[in-house]
């Protein structure tokens, strides 16, 4: 089997930051303005309250309010996927049910972090969450943060659940990913922007991107060119985005911090990060701006 021709949440998804006011409160007006910009500039879906959205430091009430505000802002123009994963199955189910009530179109569920459950327990965790609401699920496989891989054989079993429809893939195992793609209909979204084109080219669904907060058109262009059969141009666009991708995602500064720093420098809704994260320094901001401006200036063939 192959991945569906129409991915469940679209192809180009942004892992959206959560804007805060200067005093650290949830900025719902800013969230709506940012969501509107992202959808206008090519995002087909918005993923809220993931790592980029500072889910570890936002409350359950804030998470639900954010979903309601963004759904109100974008309507049916984009899918709204709510991050609900925690290390506690019961808490994750509560968040999933609240997100459904708030109007989310789907759920992103990360592997339980820190507790390192074995594969049998991990599988049971995801099944319980999938059974607890009517929304489709994307599993988030990021062992570098959670310390627990969703092994390909586990993924194959979970794919049989009717509401487990997608994966956000940050496992850095393209071979394992292709083994699952070959045997299931799971829609695989890369969460690692350097793999946007490689994964898409072997049947991936697209991306869930932190970098898309700042450069949604540029990342969307990679997929559009590939779909149009312009593979050389798609590859050029992928390479052109690498300097910004590297600074935002691989410079040793968390992507949440770099995304908010760049958006703030561009005059877009962002605000501060919440502790224990710290704001980017001036040198980092200057480097981000230079890479962003270079990408924008070279966006045309």
């Amino acid at each position: 089997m192959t991945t569906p021709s129409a991915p469940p949440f679209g192809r180009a998804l942004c892992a959206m930051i959560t804007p805060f006011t200067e005093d650290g409160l949830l900025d719902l007006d800013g969230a709506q303005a940012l969501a509107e910009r992202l959808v206008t500039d090519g995002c087909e879906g918005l993923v809220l309250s993931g790592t980029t959205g500072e889910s570890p430091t936002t409350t359950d009430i804030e998470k639900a309010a954010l979903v309601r505000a963004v759904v109100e802002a974008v309507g049916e123009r984009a899918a709204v996927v709510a991050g609900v994963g925690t290390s506690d199955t019961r808490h994750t189910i509560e968040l999933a049910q609240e997100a459904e009530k708030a109007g989310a179109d789907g759920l992103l569920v990360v592997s339980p972090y820190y507790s390192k459950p074995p594969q049998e327990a991990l599988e049971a965790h995801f099944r319980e969450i999938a059974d607890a609401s009517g929304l489709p699920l994307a599993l988030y496989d990021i062992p570098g943060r959670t310390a627990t891989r969703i092994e390909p054989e586990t993924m194959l079993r979970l794919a049989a659940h009717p509401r487990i429809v997608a994966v956000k893939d940050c496992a850095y195992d393209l071979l394992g990913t292709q083994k699952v793609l070959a045997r299931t209909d799971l829609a695989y979204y890369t969460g690692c922007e350097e793999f946007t084109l490689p994964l898409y080219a072997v049947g991936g669904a697209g991306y869930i991107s932190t970098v898309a907060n700042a450069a949604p058109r540029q990342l969307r262009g990679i997929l559009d060119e590939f779909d149009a059969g312009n593979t050389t141009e798609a590859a050029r666009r992928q390479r052109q985005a690498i300097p910004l991708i590297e600074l935002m995602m691989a410079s040793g500064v968390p992507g949440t911090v770099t995304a908010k720093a760049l958006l703030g420098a561009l005059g877009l809704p962002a605000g501060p990060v919440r502790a224990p994260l710290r704001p980017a320094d001036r040198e980092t901001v200057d480097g981000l701006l230079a890479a962003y401006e270079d990408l924008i200036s070279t966006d045309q063939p």
Side-chain angles (χ1 to χ4, degrees):
M1 291 184 288
T2 58
T3 50
S5 57
F9 310 118
R11 305 168 306 148
L13 280 66
C14 178
M16 198 177 102
I17 62 145
T18 299
F20 298 133
T21 62
E22 287 307 312
D23 54 0
L25 300 178
L26 182 63
D27 179 6
L28 292 179
D29 290 340
Q32 289 187 318
L34 180 60
E36 173 69 34
R37 171 189 177 269
L38 291 170
V39 173
T40 298
D41 285 354
C43 293
E44 300 169 358
L46 302 173
V47 178
L48 310 178
S49 297
T51 310
T52 303
E54 297 180 78
S55 59
T57 55
T58 56
T59 68
D60 293 2
I61 291 173
E62 287 175 325
K63 289 178 173 69
L66 183 64
V67 171
R68 286 193 294 270
V70 171
V71 168
E72 178 182 334
V74 304
E76 297 182 355
R77 291 177 296 149
V80 176
V81 179
V84 298
T86 74
S87 288
D88 177 357
T89 303
R90 181 173 56 182
H91 186 201
T92 302
I93 287 171
E94 291 171 354
L95 288 174
Q97 292 171 340
E98 287 303 312
E100 184 174 20
K101 292 176 186 176
D105 298 300
L107 305 171
L108 178 69
V109 187
V110 72
S111 300
Y113 36 85
Y114 190 76
S115 54
K116 299 177 70 174
Q119 292 298 301
E120 181 181 359
L122 186 62
E123 183 178 345
H125 170 81
F126 288 128
R127 288 187 182 278
E128 287 185 46
I129 297 158
D131 288 339
S133 86
L135 295 179
L137 265 67
L139 308 181
Y140 188 4
D141 189 18
I142 183 167
R145 286 183 180 267
T146 66
T148 303
R149 173 79 189 278
I150 310 174
E151 296 292 344
E153 291 301 318
T154 304
M155 203 74 80
L156 291 172
R157 292 191 297 272
L158 287 167
H161 195 290
R163 282 189 294 280
I164 296 177
V165 301
V167 177
K168 180 181 179 182
D169 184 13
C170 290
Y172 284 96
D173 177 14
L174 193 56
L175 176 60
T177 293
Q178 289 179 81
K179 288 166 65 176
V180 179
L181 278 172
R183 296 173 57 187
T184 76
D185 285 330
L186 289 173
Y188 260 77
Y189 295 92
T190 185
C192 307
E193 287 87 347
E194 65 271 32
F195 280 107
T196 293
L197 183 57
L199 182 55
Y200 200 57
V202 296
Y207 56 74
I208 299 175
S209 168
T210 295
V211 177
N213 279 280
R217 289 185 186 275
Q218 289 68 33
L219 292 187
R220 167 73 180 267
I222 298 169
L223 307 185
D224 289 345
E225 294 293 346
F226 187 86
D227 285 346
N230 302 325
T231 56
T232 299
E233 175 60 15
R236 186 195 74 83
R237 287 174 177 264
Q238 172 75 61
R239 294 192 300 268
Q240 203 67 52
I242 288 299
L244 181 61
I245 290 169
E246 184 173 20
L247 283 178
M248 289 189 69
M249 306 304 296
S251 64
V253 181
T256 304
V257 174
T258 56
K260 282 197 161 182
L262 182 50
L263 288 177
L266 295 172
L268 296 168
V273 292
R274 284 182 175 172
L277 296 179
R278 304 294 297 171
D281 59 28
R282 187 70 249 174
E283 182 180 0
T284 297
V285 175
D286 289 344
L288 289 165
L289 273 172
Y292 171 80
E293 290 168 358
D294 185 59
L295 176 60
I296 299 303
S297 69
T298 56
D299 188 36
Q300 299 303 318

